[in-house]
Amino acid sequence: MMNEPKISFIERKMLHPHPENPRKDLGDLEELRESIRENGIMQNLTVVPDWDDDGYKILIGHRRFAASEGIINLLPCVIVPDLSPREQVGIMLAENMQRSDLTFIEQAHGFQLMMDLGDTVENISKKTGFSKQTIKHRLEISKLDKGAIEKAQKNFQLSISDFIELEKVKDLEDRNEILEEAMNSEELKSEIDYYLRDKRCEENKKKYAESFKIQYGNC
């Protein structure tokens, strides 16, 4: 029989949100707050020691932690002592994705962070259940300038299809510029089509010029 995880009750002031938590927007917490007022915290948090701040970083339970503020001071936690930074990010990413909690932009940054910590696309696929192709698409999103994404989102709701269309633009600087200037999905696609047509024209001109030189030489 497996041992049950040991639950410790830790003071709120000793708990800190994990700085690499992939989920940036915790969403509406009011319903969860009401549940905590009535029933307390029904599921423990999972934390790791925070050696830099003499406390604990939260791996699982960020919403419970935020929602219980002003209601509960001692929170039930399971302490996991020995996890590498890569393992910590992997756990948080997998937990949020299993609950469909992350946007595809948050997924993109989470996948990129796992790559930065030494994971491969194959390993991320095994850990998260996402296909390698999906992960590669998300990693393309992580290459984009954050400011360009934010500017575009002020004009319209970006879809995953919009980002996949952008991948057709190989130059990252041009990709960011097109994204910043688009006012809606239709305009974004049109700008990409214009850009690609212009690139094809330039390539054809170069090919024609090279062919002319080969055929006639310098005259």
Side-chain angles (χ1 to χ4, degrees):
M1 183 175 176
M2 294 181 64
N3 293 328
E4 292 292 325
K6 182 181 177 182
I7 295 178
S8 303
F9 286 84
I10 301 177
E11 282 188 83
R12 171 175 291 278
K13 67 181 180 181
M14 299 292 290
L15 298 170
H16 315 293
H18 200 293
E20 304 297 351
N21 180 27
R23 183 173 185 179
K24 305 307 179 186
D25 182 2
L26 297 180
D28 185 359
L29 298 174
E30 193 52 43
E31 186 176 346
L32 181 55
R33 285 181 62 81
E34 286 301 316
S35 174
I36 292 172
R37 284 193 187 98
E38 293 179 11
N39 306 305
I41 294 181
M42 305 297 289
Q43 185 179 4
N44 60 269
L45 286 69
T46 302
V47 302
V48 293
D50 185 351
W51 306 115
D52 296 328
D53 205 2
D54 194 27
Y56 301 90
K57 290 186 288 190
I58 300 167
L59 283 184
I60 300 173
H62 285 86
R63 294 189 80 246
R64 275 163 271 157
F65 174 74
S68 64
E69 184 175 8
I71 303 172
I72 293 178
N73 187 46
L74 290 175
L75 287 83
C77 300
V78 169
I79 303 169
V80 184
D82 300 312
L83 288 177
S84 68
R86 182 170 67 186
E87 289 171 327
Q88 292 175 29
V89 172
I91 287 172
M92 289 187 291
L93 196 58
E95 171 71 11
N96 281 289
M97 285 179 175
Q98 287 166 5
R99 297 174 182 234
S100 301
D101 278 341
L102 295 185
T103 67
F104 47 80
I105 294 174
E106 288 172 330
Q107 289 169 4
H109 294 311
F111 288 148
Q112 185 60 57
L113 182 57
M114 293 178 78
M115 294 286 287
D116 293 343
L117 290 170
D119 258 321
T120 64
V121 170
E122 289 75 13
N123 286 341
I124 295 171
S125 179
K126 290 176 183 177
K127 289 178 181 178
T128 64
F130 278 72
S131 72
K132 289 184 280 188
Q133 189 61 38
T134 295
I135 293 166
K136 288 175 182 177
H137 283 313
R138 300 297 190 270
L139 290 172
E140 287 296 324
I141 295 174
S142 71
K143 295 178 183 178
L144 293 165
D145 182 72
K146 184 179 177 182
I149 294 175
E150 290 175 350
K151 187 173 180 179
Q153 285 184 316
K154 290 178 181 178
N155 297 324
F156 65 105
Q157 184 63 47
L158 286 161
S159 69
I160 188 62
S161 297
D162 293 327
F163 286 111
I164 292 174
E165 279 289 318
L166 272 169
E167 290 178 32
K168 296 176 182 178
V169 179
K170 301 307 178 185
D171 185 277
L172 188 56
E173 188 174 335
D174 291 339
R175 197 185 294 183
N176 282 319
E177 186 176 343
I178 290 170
L179 181 61
E180 281 186 348
E181 294 178 355
M183 299 301 293
N184 53 56
S185 292
E186 292 76 15
E187 185 175 313
L188 179 69
K189 187 177 186 310
S190 294
E191 289 300 319
I192 293 170
D193 289 341
Y194 289 144
Y195 174 89
L196 295 175
R197 189 160 59 243
D198 287 344
K199 285 293 180 184
R200 283 194 296 269
C201 286
E202 289 177 12
E203 289 173 6
N204 288 336
K205 287 178 181 178
K206 287 180 182 177
K207 288 179 182 178
Y208 178 81
E210 288 299 321
S211 175
F212 186 87
K213 285 180 181 179
I214 292 171
Q215 187 170 358
Y216 298 105
N218 294 324
C219 50

